[in-house]
Amino acid sequence: LRHVLTKGRFDTWGELLESIQFIGEKLVRARPLELVIGNIVKRLLFIIRREHRYFMKLQRKREKFAANKSGSGVGGGGKFQPLKKHMKEIVLSQKDIREEDETLNPSILDIFHSREELNYDAGKFESKTKSVIINELNLLIEEIENTYQSIEEYSVEHIHSNEIVLTYGYSKTVLHFLKHAAKYRSFEVFICESAPSLHGQSMADDLIQHVNTHKNDKNCNIQSVTLIADSCIFAIMSRVNKVIIGTHAVFANGGLLSHSGTHGLALAAQFHSVPMVVVTGLYKLSTLYAYDQDTFNEHDVPSNLIPFEKQSEFHLNGGNVSVQNPVFDYIKPEFVEIFLTNAGGHAPSYMYRLLSEYYDTTEDRL
């Protein structure tokens, strides 16, 4: 997307929006369940529409200034000084247009902007504006790259000494979260192996390597790392103080899409009243909704569960048995205690509010 912005030539704002939407549609169609792709494209469209709004505000200010200038005249010396002052205010307003919008509540802005009839083909797209959009896109890329560092700062507030933390599968965000908390807190970690992918084994291996690397200093105070089978989740949950998991995507209703098997973990945590904490970057926040396990899901090959050469031993070749291997689980928002993002902690009921701050309410073809 940054390459399209940098190398592309656009005469109007409408051409720019059409180009980004066209590329975005192809990317989303190639990987429909990688919801992050659609999120990034929508964030970029939001940035472009926001800059167009600033551009149109500046144009209206310039037209108003030109009308005042033609009405006042420049012949008299006494009238020329107020015009110079007015011109200075117009120059400053170009820099402060963004600050004027940021002082208002985004939801209030949506009410006014939805009533505006925006014609993106009317305004000429200037090269100076392109550099501003590219800079905003670079800031978005920097935000994504610094997601781990931003989230791990909240680990000390949510992990306390002598606690037992349970996690599921492999998540880089959770791994950085636990590593940073181990610098200041002493706690135990239980990791579910998350069969059949067994990503939990990789998670345990990386965490144990970190513990062994820092066993002679005070930068890692993890008491123990225990790998458990998925069938032990309910039995071990009564000892757990907190469940911390990552996510593949967060939906607008506060639900989330995570590794297959996480739903059983959430049920056990709810039964034992153990809080579930989800750590994720805001770039995973999606404008889509999911209400069941099949809305956004895919199935992996059955051979990962039972190899084809062994299916005859279990009499599965007759077609009477269907082997299902779902990749994701949908977790309802009522199972989640809090979302920890790079913008702070938020309740599941507040996630829809963040959509107005990071996405445009305009319907996109994505």
Side-chain angles (χ1 to χ4, degrees):
L1 294 175
R2 183 167 55 182
H3 182 76
V4 172
L5 275 174
T6 306
K7 302 298 183 181
R9 295 183 178 180
F10 313 100
D11 295 328
T12 63
W13 291 86
E15 290 182 7
L16 174 60
L17 287 172
E18 284 295 328
S19 299
I20 298 300
Q21 284 186 335
F22 177 76
I23 298 297
E25 286 177 8
K26 287 187 173 295
L27 293 174
V28 172
R29 196 178 298 118
R31 298 295 299 272
L33 285 180
E34 291 294 338
L35 302 181
V36 173
I37 298 176
N39 298 343
I40 300 301
V41 176
K42 291 177 181 178
R43 286 281 295 270
L44 179 56
L45 291 173
F46 170 74
I47 292 172
I48 295 173
R49 293 190 177 107
R50 183 184 61 190
E51 295 302 326
H52 175 265
R53 188 168 68 244
Y54 298 156
F55 174 79
M56 296 304 296
K57 278 189 174 184
L58 179 60
Q59 289 295 102
R60 287 193 291 266
K61 286 180 178 290
R62 287 175 176 173
E63 292 173 359
K64 183 179 179 180
F65 168 71
N68 293 337
K69 181 178 179 181
S70 61
S72 301
V74 294
K79 297 182 180 180
F80 186 72
Q81 294 300 326
L83 276 176
K84 288 182 66 177
K85 182 180 178 181
H86 193 188
M87 187 180 297
K88 184 178 180 181
E89 291 176 356
I90 291 297
V91 174
L92 289 176
S93 66
Q94 181 177 358
K95 185 181 68 173
D96 298 337
I97 284 177
R98 183 188 304 274
E99 297 179 1
E100 291 177 6
D101 266 14
E102 290 177 351
T103 56
L104 297 176
N105 191 307
S107 60
I108 298 177
L109 287 176
D110 291 339
I111 297 175
F112 292 105
H113 297 156
S114 61
R115 295 179 180 178
E116 295 180 0
E117 295 182 2
L118 299 177
N119 185 6
Y120 294 104
D121 295 323
K124 180 177 176 57
F125 186 72
E126 300 178 355
S127 57
K128 293 188 298 183
T129 311
K130 177 190 284 190
S131 62
V132 174
I133 296 176
I134 294 175
N135 184 52
E136 289 291 324
L137 182 58
N138 290 334
L139 291 177
L140 175 58
I141 295 173
E142 184 180 352
E143 173 192 325
I144 296 174
E145 292 175 347
N146 296 330
T147 297
Y148 300 145
Q149 291 76 14
S150 302
I151 295 177
E152 67 184 16
E153 295 177 357
Y154 302 102
S155 60
V156 182
E157 302 176 9
H158 294 273
I159 296 181
H160 307 287
S161 297
N162 300 321
E163 282 191 338
I164 296 179
V165 176
L166 176 64
T167 186
Y168 189 92
Y170 191 94
S171 171
K172 285 186 177 181
T173 312
V174 175
L175 183 62
H176 282 78
F177 193 82
L178 296 176
K179 285 181 179 180
H180 188 268
K183 296 179 181 179
Y184 309 96
R185 299 286 188 266
S186 177
F187 56 93
E188 300 180 47
V189 180
F190 286 176
I191 302 175
C192 305
E193 62 179 0
S194 67
S197 64
L198 302 179
H199 289 159
Q201 295 182 5
S202 301
M203 179 75 168
D205 183 60
D206 289 354
L207 200 57
I208 290 173
Q209 287 184 9
H210 178 74
V211 172
N212 293 333
T213 303
H214 299 278
K215 62 182 179 181
N216 295 326
D217 53 39
K218 297 182 179 180
N219 289 328
C220 186
N221 298 311
I222 297 179
Q223 299 174 8
S224 63
V225 178
T226 306
L227 182 68
I228 65 172
D230 298 343
S231 57
C232 301
I233 291 177
F234 191 85
I236 206 70
M237 189 61 71
S238 59
R239 295 180 54 195
V240 173
N241 300 106
K242 197 175 276 85
V243 175
I244 301 177
I245 62 172
T247 178
H248 182 75
V250 180
F251 296 110
N253 63 338
L256 61 103
L257 200 64
S258 190
H259 300 292
S260 177
T262 315
H263 186 258
L265 175 69
L267 289 172
Q270 187 186 55
F271 182 85
H272 289 278
S273 300
V274 177
M276 175 175 283
V277 178
V278 180
V279 290
T280 179
L282 280 176
Y283 66 92
K284 293 186 179 182
L285 176 61
S286 175
T287 58
L288 304 176
Y289 288 83
Y291 299 98
D292 53 39
Q293 296 293 340
D294 299 322
T295 305
F296 296 98
N297 209 338
E298 63 179 347
H299 290 259
D300 209 346
V301 292
S303 60
N304 289 342
L305 296 176
I306 303 177
F308 289 113
E309 57 271 14
K310 292 186 177 181
Q311 291 186 10
S312 58
E313 301 178 12
F314 298 96
H315 307 288
L316 301 179
N317 295 331
N320 296 326
V321 179
S322 176
V323 180
Q324 301 292 332
N325 187 14
V327 178
F328 302 114
D329 267 358
Y330 169 66
I331 310 299
K332 295 181 179 180
E334 50 262 31
F335 290 120
V336 180
E337 181 76 15
I338 190 173
F339 285 95
L340 294 180
T341 70
N342 46 310
H346 305 286
S349 58
Y350 188 79
M351 300 308 290
Y352 81 96
R353 175 66 178 74
L354 294 175
L355 295 176
S356 61
E357 298 182 15
Y358 295 96
Y359 297 101
D360 203 317
T361 55
T362 306
E363 185 68 26
D364 292 312
R365 306 188 307 268
L366 295 176

